[in-house]
Amino acid sequence: MNNILRKKSILSAFLLCLISFSTATAQQSLWSKETYKNAKGDSLLYRQLFPDYNMVRKLPLVIFLHGSGERGNDNESQLKWGAANFSTDKNMMMHPAFVIAPQCPANASWDNVSNENDDNISFAATPSKTMTLLKELIDETIKKLPVDTNRIYITGLSMGGFGTFDAISRYPNLFAAAVPVCGGGDLSKVTAIKHIPMWIVTGAEDIAVSPVFSIEMTRALQKAGAHPGFTQYPEVGHFSWIMAYSDPLIMEWLFRQRKSVSK
């Protein structure tokens, strides 16, 4: 009897793994493989999620920035964490949107940091090459697709969390909301970004990216008169993005944000 139960358990586990793999593969197939190239010949790989949209109605645009471990040139790794939560049947039904998930090349970064210490970083005056290409891609997408420019959102995890702060600091009039996850930003830029609705997320036991970065940014924004959301998950390390992108409250909050006037 024990052998029979053991075999059934192994079979059940195998089937669950197979279902999970099939689901992930099916979700990835919803994301088209794209390449952006500018006039200089520079390029940026990205995946794009197209909703079942009505051309009469404009829809939000979400920018999803992956972490350092997903850099490369396969145009697939950036969907490993978090992005798939935007392509579930439920989310596409409740929050139809265009979603762009670019892939940062190896040895590159979304942000351009000139200085970093234990609780703050400083962004350089000029953006990284990757961030410049991302901004060009966003501009081109706005021209080609029916994007609601009052509902352009950006989110990212780890390196992408730093990239999220970098992007809103450089283009403060572009985004309607931001969700930086286990990242960090330049406290000197708070005045320029305090008008942007934010939900900042971190893990209390994160030793890869100290939660102090998120805590100090939240405090600085509050001191400047902003009202950012802040979540620090207890007993969670660097993988706080698993909870963040699975939280329906964060998703609902994000898609509820909009700018009052187009910029």
Side-chain angles (χ1 to χ4, degrees):
M1 181 62 72
N2 288 336
N3 288 334
I4 294 174
L5 290 175
R6 190 178 299 113
K7 288 180 180 180
K8 286 185 177 180
S9 297
I10 293 172
L11 179 59
S12 297
F14 173 76
L15 290 174
L16 285 173
C17 290
L18 185 61
I19 291 170
S20 299
F21 176 78
S22 299
T23 301
T25 303
Q27 282 198 345
Q28 283 205 16
S29 68
L30 297 174
W31 300 74
S32 65
K33 285 190 174 184
E34 309 287 348
T35 302
Y36 167 74
K37 291 184 179 180
N38 64 15
K40 298 178 182 179
D42 297 323
S43 62
L44 181 67
L45 299 174
Y46 68 101
R47 300 292 287 269
Q48 183 158 332
L49 178 68
F50 287 88
D52 183 12
Y53 62 90
N54 183 339
M55 292 299 292
V56 175
R57 182 166 61 94
K58 293 186 176 183
L59 292 174
L61 171 64
V62 179
I63 306 300
F64 179 88
L65 303 182
H66 64 76
S68 60
E70 292 72 61
R71 290 178 290 188
N73 60 3
D74 62 1
N75 209 3
E76 290 184 5
S77 298
Q78 70 265 42
L79 300 182
K80 179 179 179 180
W81 299 109
N85 293 75
F86 289 93
S87 57
T88 64
D89 290 345
K90 181 178 179 181
N91 198 72
M92 292 182 70
M93 176 184 69
M94 298 297 296
H95 309 294
F98 301 106
V99 185
I100 287 177
Q103 184 175 36
C104 187
N107 302 316
S109 183
W110 303 118
D111 58 80
N112 188 11
V113 174
S114 60
N115 184 53
E116 180 177 343
N117 55 45
D118 291 338
D119 58 4
N120 186 39
I121 63 175
S122 297
F123 292 137
T126 56
S128 67
K129 180 179 179 180
T130 313
M131 182 59 69
T132 298
L133 286 168
L134 175 59
K135 177 57 166 58
E136 292 174 2
L137 171 59
I138 294 172
D139 292 341
E140 182 180 79
T141 302
I142 292 172
K143 292 178 182 178
K144 290 185 175 181
L145 296 175
V147 172
D148 183 348
T149 54
N150 288 321
R151 299 179 68 199
I152 299 177
Y153 311 124
I154 186 166
T155 184
L157 58 94
S158 194
M159 182 184 77
F162 286 88
T164 297
F165 279 119
D166 185 278
I168 62 176
S169 297
R170 298 185 190 282
Y171 317 110
N173 294 323
L174 177 61
F175 300 102
V179 181
V181 181
C182 55
D186 187 337
L187 298 180
S188 70
K189 308 295 184 184
V190 163
T191 301
I193 63 175
K194 65 179 182 179
H195 66 285
I196 302 173
M198 280 182 245
W199 193 324
I200 299 169
V201 180
T202 187
E205 299 182 12
D206 191 337
I207 60 174
V209 176
S210 173
V212 172
F213 285 111
S214 295
I215 293 169
E216 290 303 316
M217 179 58 74
T218 302
R219 287 175 176 168
L221 286 165
Q222 291 174 331
K223 188 175 181 179
H227 305 281
F230 175 74
T231 298
Q232 179 173 271
Y233 293 107
E235 300 181 348
V236 171
H238 194 46
F239 282 17
S240 56
W241 58 76
I242 295 177
M243 283 67 68
Y245 295 116
S246 299
D247 188 341
L249 293 179
I250 291 181
M251 285 290 188
E252 290 171 13
W253 173 88
L254 178 65
F255 286 100
R256 195 168 63 241
Q257 308 308 310
R258 62 178 65 241
K259 294 191 297 182
S260 58
V261 181
S262 296
K263 298 291 185 180

